[in-house]
Amino acid sequence: MPDDVRTPHPRHRFDRWPERLAGRTVRSVDAHGKHLFIRFDGELTLHSHLRMTGSWGVYGEGARWRRAAHRAWLVIEAGGYRVVEFDGPVLELLRESRTRFDRRLSALGPDVIGERFDREDFLRRLRAQDQSRAVGDVLLDQRVLAGIGNVWKSESCFAAHVNPWRELARLGDDEAIAIADFAHERMTRSAELDGFSSRPRAVYKRAGLPCERCGTPIRSHGQGDDNRTTYWCPSCQL
Ligand SMILES: [Zn+2]
C-alpha cells in the first residue's frame, strides 16, 4: 500500500487523487508499449502514457532524481521508495471494472518494446486494417502496434526504404516486418539506455536537409487524422 501519493503538477492540482487513492493497495502494475497501468483496490486504475517526453523513475531514500522536481507529475511513496512520473503528458485516474479494462488492453497491438515482440500478431492486425490506409498512419495506430511514436514511425520507414504514404495494400509482409523489426530492436535498445542515447535521426526533423543515402532533400508533411508530421526521402523510399 502506498504511504503517500502526490500530484505536484498544476494540471492535477484539483484532482484529489491523493485522497481518492489513500489507503488503497496496489493490485498490479502492467506496462504495455508506452502505456502503464497501476491498478489499485476498489477498481481504480492509474493510466499513464509517456508519449515522447515522459519517463518513470524509481528512487531510494535520499537518491537524486534524474529530472527536476518541478517536472514530476506523480509521486508515489511506498516502503522507502519513491516512484516518480516526469513530464506527463497522459495521466488519468480511471474507474472501471477489470473486464472492461482487460478488453481495453487486449485491443492494443503487440508491444514494440521488449524481448517478446509478436510479429505474427502485428501482421494479423495490420492486415485487418483498411488496406487503403497509408503505412505511416497505421504505424501510429495503437491497435496495430503499441508504443511506436512519431520519431520511430518516420525512422523505421526510412530504414526499411518504405515510403510512409504507400497504401497498405502495396506493402509486402517482408517490408512490414522490416519496419517493425527496426522499431522493435532500436526502441528496445533505446529503452535500456533511458530513451535517448540510440535514437536515430536520419529523417526526423530534417526536412529540406539532404538524405544520408541519396542526397535528395528530406520532405515532411502532416499525416493521418491527428496530422502527425511524417518525414521521408521522396527518392529512396518507394
Ligand atoms: Zn534518399
Side-chain angles (χ1 to χ4, degrees):
M1 188 187 297
D3 302 318
D4 190 26
V5 177
R6 281 177 288 134
T7 51
H9 196 276
R11 192 193 289 185
H12 295 293
R13 194 183 293 150
F14 303 113
D15 286 350
R16 295 183 54 247
W17 291 355
E19 288 89 335
R20 293 177 68 188
L21 295 173
R24 293 180 196 270
T25 305
V26 173
R27 284 282 174 218
S28 63
V29 179
D30 311 299
H32 204 97
K34 286 183 171 179
H35 294 270
L36 186 78
F37 301 93
I38 305 175
R39 295 177 185 185
F40 291 83
D41 256 353
E43 304 198 331
L44 276 181
T45 298
L46 206 51
H47 166 229
S48 102
H49 186 278
L50 299 176
R51 295 254 168 88
M52 281 165 52
T53 51
S55 78
W56 282 92
V58 180
Y59 304 95
E61 203 87 60
R64 236 180 96 87
W65 291 5
R66 202 190 298 263
R67 296 190 188 182
H70 70 266
R71 293 168 69 180
W73 284 57
L74 177 72
V75 183
I76 301 174
E77 278 191 46
Y81 284 91
R82 290 197 174 102
V83 180
V84 187
E85 189 200 19
F86 295 103
D87 297 320
V90 178
L91 192 61
E92 55 179 348
L93 189 61
L94 311 167
R95 175 181 289 281
E96 53 186 332
S97 71
R98 176 123 198 161
T99 19
R100 242 189 83 197
F101 199 79
D102 286 344
R103 221 173 288 144
R104 182 201 281 238
L105 254 189
S106 69
L108 290 173
D111 193 340
V112 71
I113 296 175
E115 291 295 305
R116 295 166 302 159
F117 172 57
D118 191 339
R119 288 180 186 76
E120 289 185 5
D121 189 25
F122 161 68
L123 265 188
R124 202 162 39 240
R125 287 167 180 268
L126 189 82
R127 294 309 177 198
Q129 296 299 308
D130 173 352
Q131 296 297 294
S132 68
R133 287 183 74 188
V135 173
D137 178 34
V138 171
L139 284 177
L140 287 185
D141 191 329
Q142 300 288 308
R143 295 168 302 177
V144 174
L145 192 59
I148 192 166
N150 209 34
V151 177
W152 293 96
K153 168 196 73 178
S154 294
E155 296 294 340
S156 303
C157 284
F158 178 80
H161 298 254
V162 170
N163 188 313
W165 297 91
R166 206 198 290 180
E167 278 186 1
L168 281 188
R170 295 175 45 244
L171 182 75
D173 284 356
D174 53 334
E175 291 175 305
I177 293 292
I179 293 171
D181 274 353
F182 179 85
H184 162 63
E185 281 160 27
R186 298 296 294 264
M187 287 182 73
T188 302
R189 202 191 314 160
S190 181
E192 288 162 2
L193 297 170
D194 192 34
F196 295 100
S197 318
S198 75
R199 190 173 278 176
R201 277 292 157 82
V203 287
Y204 186 73
K205 292 207 168 154
R206 293 196 69 244
L209 295 170
C211 167
E212 63 180 38
R213 282 195 300 242
C214 73
T216 306
I218 299 297
R219 290 186 59 188
S220 70
H221 202 274
Q223 185 173 42
D225 291 340
D226 294 335
N227 204 33
R228 306 294 302 279
T229 306
T230 288
Y231 298 84
W232 78 103
C233 172
S235 296
C236 65
Q237 286 177 260
L238 305 172

